[in-house]
């Protein structure tokens, strides 16, 4: 592996601590790994769906058993609080088991046999899938690709972020299936995504990475699924109650993983006449639920941001409006990349805090005059991943939600508390294409191949037509 080095992962909460080291995968090694995966894929597909699903069920049990140690490792390499890490691993186990339960119906042949003929629709694997995943939820975001890809009979090669390579590598080691990991930055990713034997690409990450992946995949005519960034608006209608429970939920929907989540609530919109009451309720909720500090410490609900660059970017967002520091800090803020979470009231509507994806523990709240103006503000921009609407009237909330330009809209909640394994997730506009979760997510990893016998040409039928101008009957 000429030219390959190592990646040392620091603890963002204690920057003098190296959590672990992985070896970078040189492009020529990526080539060998993809070719090995391609060679293994045929035998894996030939094992049949029940056998493949049994293997996935065994992995789910193995991850469940290993969760305490894996959660600690994930907290140390990512800066996420350890309870959140346990939750991520538990969700990955749930998703694996959901795939085991639902893959038989999603991947079964569809047969139509009637007086027009016989049609068989087969669901066939692509071959080798390349998955490029981010650091902020490295296990579940990889599992959303690994589980359906393997269930469908594909092999898969995962390239995790260099900022969180350790835990997902250990999880992959638990599989008895053709799944491999490669490590590195853009060069490694390009060697993987652009490989001639890769037949499908799945990517989760930011816009710059998405453009690079889409360009490489497009050059090869390789189909892809991209889940990109968001600048999710949370709109409170004039009847929305500011209860303790709702405000607690909203605060954590913004500041889970220190705000570094694609589907976090990133812009808050409240009727101008209720703005003061909202701010008071939000600050009180933050006092109840936000404790920033070491992710392994009891009672901490928010850790550091991922890097020094992320810390500097977050601090630069607090440059307009009235800034309220939130919650309390427990520990030594100088030990890592800590940023005090903040609510910014009425910033400049054209500021980066409002118009761009912050990916930081800083959130703006803006007043609005009427529903048409807030809808226009919420739908402004190129991103359309998630959104939420809050109201005491569910029918009114759904009617408003239909007008969002978003791939997924939450009602009276936001972020993880509003997710469902049966609800497809993905973006519109420049927030990507394709879907994860639900049967739509399973369908991303199979190709529909058809066998058709028209009725006119089946054994025993009277053959009629079929000339060059003939068109199908139905």
């Amino acid at each position: 592996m000429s030219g390959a080095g190592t990646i040392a992962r620091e603890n963002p909460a204690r920057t003098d601590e190296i959590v672990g080291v992985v070896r970078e995968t040189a492009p020529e090694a990526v080539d060998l790994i993809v070719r090995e995966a391609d060679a293994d894929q045929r035998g894996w597909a030939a094992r049949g769906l029940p056998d493949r699903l049994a293997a996935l069920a065994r992995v789910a049990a193995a991850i469940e058993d290993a969760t305490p140690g894996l959660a600690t490792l994930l907290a140390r390499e990512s800066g996420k609080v350890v309870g959140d890490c346990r939750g991520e691993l538990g969700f990955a186990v749930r998703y694996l088991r959901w795939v085991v339960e639902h893959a038989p119906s999603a991947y079964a042949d569809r047969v139509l046999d009637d007086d027009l003929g016989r049609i068989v629709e087969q669901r066939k694997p692509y071959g080798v899938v390349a998955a490029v995943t981010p650091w902020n939820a490295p296990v579940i975001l990889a599992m959303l690709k690994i589980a359906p890809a393997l269930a469908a009979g594909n092999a898969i090669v995962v390239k995790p972020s260099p900022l969180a390579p350790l835990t997902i590598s250990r999880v992959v080691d638990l599989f008895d299936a053709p799944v491999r990991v490669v490590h590195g930055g853009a060069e490694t990713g390009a060697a993987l995504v652009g490989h001639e034997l890769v037949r499908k690409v799945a990517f989760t990450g930011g816009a710059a990475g998405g453009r690079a992946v889409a360009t490489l995949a497009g050059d090869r005519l390789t189909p892809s699924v991209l889940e990109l960034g968001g600048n999710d608006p949370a709109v409170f209608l004039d009847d929305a109650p500011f209860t303790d429970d709702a405000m607690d939920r909203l605060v954590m929907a913004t500041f889970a993983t220190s705000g570094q989540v694609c589907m976090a609530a990133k812009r808050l919109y409240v009727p101008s006449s209720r703005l003061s009451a909202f701010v008071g309720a939000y600050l009180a909720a933050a006092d109840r639920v936000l404790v920033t500090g070491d992710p392994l410490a009891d009672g901490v609900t928010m850790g550091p941001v991922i890097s020094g660059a992320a810390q500097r970017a977050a601090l630069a967002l607090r440059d307009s409006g009235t800034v309220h520091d939130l919650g309390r800090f427990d520990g030594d803020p100088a030990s890592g990349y800590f940023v005090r979470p903040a609510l910014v009231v009425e910033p400049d509507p054209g500021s980066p805090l409002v118009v761009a994806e912050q990916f930081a523990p800083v959130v703006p709240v803006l007043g609005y005059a009427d529903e048409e103006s807030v809808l226009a503000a919420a739908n402004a921009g190129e991103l359309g991943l998630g959104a939420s609407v809050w109201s005491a009237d569910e029918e009114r909330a759904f009617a408003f939600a239909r007008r969002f330009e978003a791939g997924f809209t939450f009602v009276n909640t936001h972020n993880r508390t509003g997710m469902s394994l049966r609800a497809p997730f993905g973006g519109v506009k420049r927030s990507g294409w394709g879907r994860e979760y639900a049967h739509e997510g399973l369908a991303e990893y199979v190709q529909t191949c058809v066998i058709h016998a028209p009725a006119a040409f089946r054994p025993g039928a009277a053959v009629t037509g079929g000339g060059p101008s003939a068109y199908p009957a139905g």
Side-chain angles (χ1 to χ4, degrees), residues 13-406:
R14 302 190 195 99
T15 54
D16 59 350
E17 174 189 312
I18 298 299
V19 181
V21 177
V22 295
R23 181 166 294 280
E24 193 170 17
T25 313
E28 59 268 29
V30 173
D31 175 64
L32 292 174
I33 289 168
V34 173
R35 292 185 185 281
E36 289 171 356
D38 181 65
D40 291 345
Q41 183 268 327
R42 292 163 184 80
W44 173 251
R47 286 172 61 171
L49 182 59
D51 194 21
R52 296 196 300 268
L53 296 183
L56 296 188
R58 290 192 294 272
V59 173
I63 296 172
E64 194 168 49
D65 290 344
T67 287
L70 291 172
T72 299
L73 177 62
L74 182 54
R76 291 173 63 217
E77 70 170 324
S78 70
K80 291 170 38 163
V81 296
V82 70
D84 187 1
C85 295
R86 285 193 294 267
E88 179 179 340
L89 288 154
F91 194 47
V93 169
R94 279 182 56 206
Y95 182 67
L96 263 169
R97 289 173 172 157
W98 186 91
V99 170
V100 169
E101 178 183 356
H102 291 273
S105 60
Y107 296 152
D109 288 354
R110 311 302 201 265
V111 179
L112 178 63
D113 196 340
D114 58 19
D115 58 0
L116 295 178
R118 183 182 180 190
I119 295 173
V120 176
E121 296 181 9
Q122 297 175 285
R123 310 291 182 234
K124 292 189 174 183
Y126 282 90
V128 178
V129 175
V132 181
T133 57
W135 57 264
N136 58 339
V139 177
I140 185 57
L141 292 176
M143 198 62 68
L144 288 171
K145 301 154 183 59
I146 293 170
L150 291 176
N154 300 284
I156 184 166
V157 181
V158 181
K159 193 203 84 65
S161 167
L163 296 174
L166 305 174
T167 309
I168 186 58
S169 295
R170 292 197 185 177
V171 168
V172 165
D173 285 344
L174 298 174
F175 281 83
D176 177 21
V179 53
R180 293 165 170 81
V181 174
V182 296
H183 292 293
E187 186 179 23
T188 303
L192 176 60
V193 172
H195 198 283
E196 62 182 351
L197 293 179
V198 165
R199 299 291 184 241
K200 177 87 183 209
V201 173
F203 173 83
T204 300
R211 289 189 185 94
V213 166
T215 298
L216 282 166
D219 285 344
R220 287 277 183 191
L221 298 180
T222 305
S224 61
V225 53
L226 304 182
E227 196 263 272
L228 306 179
N231 190 15
D232 292 18
V235 175
F236 283 74
L237 300 183
D238 57 19
D239 65 343
F242 303 154
T243 62
D244 288 356
D245 180 65
M247 291 295 101
D248 291 356
R249 204 159 57 246
L250 177 65
V251 168
M252 291 312 300
T254 295
F255 296 111
T257 315
S258 304
Q260 302 165 117
V261 178
C262 60
M263 60 182 179
K266 296 189 175 77
R267 295 176 287 156
L268 314 180
Y269 292 98
V270 182
S272 295
S273 62
R274 304 187 68 200
L275 184 58
S276 178
F278 176 89
V279 170
Y282 195 93
L283 296 180
D287 284 342
R288 288 191 297 271
V289 302
L290 280 184
V291 180
T292 304
D294 190 310
L296 295 174
D298 291 340
V300 167
T301 58
M302 197 188 96
V305 294
I306 192 64
S307 66
Q311 182 186 51
R312 293 187 293 272
L315 294 173
L317 293 170
R318 302 157 57 112
D319 63 353
S320 70
T322 302
V323 179
H324 294 275
D325 288 327
L326 302 174
R328 63 184 175 86
F329 194 91
D330 183 8
D332 178 10
S335 66
Y337 301 125
F338 291 99
V339 176
R340 184 80 177 268
L343 176 72
V344 181
V345 181
E346 295 280 39
D348 178 351
S351 67
L353 179 61
V354 178
V355 301
E357 182 181 28
Q358 313 100 11
F359 226 67
V362 186
V363 66
V365 58
L366 302 100
Y368 69 86
D370 54 65
E371 288 188 12
E372 293 304 316
S373 64
V374 74
L375 186 68
N379 286 339
E382 295 188 324
L383 300 179
L385 186 60
S388 65
V389 57
W390 304 66
S391 172
D393 183 339
E394 187 173 283
E395 293 303 317
R396 184 182 177 197
F398 269 76
F400 189 90
R402 287 179 179 274
R403 304 174 69 193
F404 275 131
E405 295 173 1

